[in-house]
Amino acid sequence: MSFPFIQFIPGYEGFCIWKSGFTPEECQKIIDMGEKIEFFEKGRIGSGGKSVVNPDVRETDITWLHPTHDNDWIHKRIAGISARVNFDKFQLSLRQFDGFQYSKYKVGGHYKWHIDCIAEPEDPSLHRKLSMSVMLTAPESYEGGELLLLDNGNPENPSIAKPAQGDIIYFYSYVPHKVAPVTKGERITLVTWALGEKFA
């Protein structure tokens, strides 16, 4: 007698939030590091040599936290949490992180609907597959700035997230999303992307 094997297919979750990945004190420490970096640039749209600054689509100031002895605890924390989140929720084959982007949305800052996937990355084995944002500022310190995600495919009913300080929000890099305009205060995040084979 044979018994059929029942396939288990987990329910689709377009995004999830890891609560309190960083303490408020650690968030402030990251902000202090970011603010010490002398070079900020306007966030660009597009990729490679075709990227442009277009404030109608994206208005944010960015810089990069490159791994050093002083900040390697940040990258190790994100790597450890991300491994657990990926195992539990996404089950993607991932190889490494892209850069760690320190982003500031001041009053009027926004980012219209977009996806994080790069159409043809230079290395075809390093597609952006999982996006994540560490919320460095407390939600009560700014107005607007909500993250909207089209994880359900319905543009009339997007998911809206405004996570707490220190939370990390994760979502598939192909999910369209946007940052609503900030109308008061400043929204600061640390953003990165996990990379891997496109179809693995």
Side-chain angles (χ1 to χ4, degrees), residues 45-58:
I45 59 173
S47 60
K50 298 180 180 180
S51 65
V52 297
V53 174
N54 185 341
D56 290 335
V57 176
R58 183 184 187 187

Side-chain angles (χ1 to χ4, degrees), residues 16-22 81 84-85 88 166-170:
C16 69
I17 297 174
W18 181 280
K19 303 293 291 181
S20 303
F22 293 84
I81 294 172
R84 296 175 64 180
V85 169
D88 288 341
D167 288 358
I168 309 174
I169 186 165
Y170 289 86

